[in-house]
Every structure is written in C-alpha cells, then in structure tokens.
Amino acid sequence: MGASRRFAAIAAVAAVLVSGGCAVGTAQGPTGDAGGEEAAMSRTPVTRFTPLTEDDGYVPEGEGLDVDADVPALTRLDADLLAAVREAAEAAEAAGVEEVVVISGWRSERYQEFLWDAAVDLYASEEEARRWVASPEGSAHVTGEAVDIGRTEAAYWFSRFGAEYGLCQTYANEVWHYESVVEPGEECPLPADDASVRR
Ligand SMILES: [Zn+2]
C-alpha cells in the first residue's frame, strides 16, 4: 500500500479523540475518498482500507452497545468476561446507574491496527501512542479479553464494584477499560500506569 493511501485513511480520522488502549474510533473508519477507488475496493477482499463494520467489532463514536446486544463486539468476547459484564451491568442498574453500555469490546486486528495508526499519527510518536493504544499484537481487545464501559457514571461504578464480578480497571489512565483479572470477590491489583506497561 502506498504511503499516500495510508495518509488518506489517517486523515479521515484526524479529528479522532484517541482514548485508551481502548481508543474508540470515529466516523466510518478508513474509507477511500475517490469514487473509482471505492468501486475498486468493493471487488477486492477486505483489507485495512475497507470501511470498518460491525464484523470488526466497530462501534461508532458516541454510540454504545447494550450489554445484551447480539453483535461481534460482544459475542466474540471471552464468554466468562461477557457473563461478568452482564451481571455487573445488571447490578449497577439496580443500584441506580442510569445507563451501562459497552463502548468497545472485541475488535478485529485491522480495527486495532487502524486505531494504532491513527494514534501514531496523532501523537507523532510510537512511544507516546503506546500509552494510549495497544498495538494489534498487544491488545486485550483483539483477544476478546477487554471491554470499555460507558457512560461515565457506569465506568466509575465498575471501578468501585467491578471486583465483585472479577472485573478490574487495568490501566490508571483508562477508567473505562476492564478485564477479568481476579476471581469474583477478590481484590483487584493496582492498575498499571498506562497501556505501555506490559503486565
Ligand atoms: Zn479498552
């Protein structure tokens, strides 16, 4: 792939607010900007340059999935993690938290790669990008072992009570990112500073 096409894909998300090992993408993902190019892409196999879809676990920015949604972002999560998230969400809502949604769950490798490229572009530094976005090889989202919880009130509820369900906030700079780290009821370990710290 030429550098100019790669640049075009990144430019499409210049406005993305990259957040987290998590980083939730925006808009339509990488898209071609020329009609002819799009037509050509529709005849070619899925590549990192074809638009991200539900099958990539893509969740448009600002949207959130109901924890019971039947989409790959949830169904491709580790089954125990998903069960724990659903149980915790029910408890949070029973405790008065208005809306518990999954902002991002399982992600395809190319979705993570897209987020990674956008972060490297945004921070102009792989070292800085690594603090906020895991590379496709190192992301717990790609292996189905992490979820990002929203909205804010729900994320804070998870940070306080998630351990009862074995769910722990694993990075100090990402209050929304949870993984099954302990047995339900055990104490969560202290979170790492950020996603650049390999545990
Ligand atoms: Zn995350």
Side-chain angles (χ1 to χ4, degrees):
M1 286 300 171
S4 63
R5 286 188 65 183
R6 181 167 178 275
F7 179 76
I10 289 169
V13 292
V16 72
L17 174 63
V18 177
S19 57
C22 299
V24 176
T26 188
Q28 304 308 312
T31 54
D33 52 3
E37 188 174 83
E38 276 185 12
M41 285 197 301
S42 71
R43 292 192 301 270
T44 55
V46 171
T47 73
R48 58 189 296 187
F49 292 104
T50 48
L52 295 168
T53 69
E54 196 174 90
D55 289 340
D56 291 295
Y58 179 67
V59 182
E61 191 183 15
E63 291 183 22
L65 301 169
D66 185 278
V67 297
D68 291 318
D70 185 21
V71 292
L74 290 176
T75 57
R76 297 195 67 171
L77 285 173
D78 172 83
D80 291 341
L81 171 62
L82 181 57
V85 167
R86 286 174 169 163
E87 202 182 336
E90 197 175 321
E93 282 168 354
V97 175
E98 270 185 26
E99 191 182 14
V100 180
V101 291
V102 171
I103 300 296
S104 194
W106 168 83
R107 294 179 195 145
S108 68
E109 217 166 285
R110 77 181 191 115
Y111 182 9
Q112 188 70 31
E113 196 165 75
F114 165 75
L115 294 171
W116 169 249
D117 285 348
V120 170
D121 188 59
L122 180 69
Y123 294 109
S125 150
E126 285 200 7
E127 193 185 343
E128 182 63 17
R130 200 167 285 119
R131 296 186 58 226
W132 299 99
V133 181
S135 66
E137 301 76 42
S139 175
H141 283 282
V142 174
T143 55
E145 295 171 303
V147 287
D148 296 341
I149 298 294
R151 312 296 175 181
T152 307
E153 189 191 2
Y156 281 106
W157 189 94
F158 271 60
S159 75
R160 284 187 65 190
F161 304 111
E164 290 177 28
Y165 307 89
L167 302 170
C168 301
Q169 177 189 342
T170 47
Y171 303 120
N173 66 338
E174 299 181 10
V175 71
W176 51 86
H177 178 105
Y178 291 86
E179 298 179 33
S180 284
V181 174
V182 297
E183 290 298 318
E186 285 182 1
E187 200 175 330
C188 285
L190 278 178
D193 287 346
D194 58 56
S196 69
V197 183
R198 295 264 71 90
R199 287 176 304 117

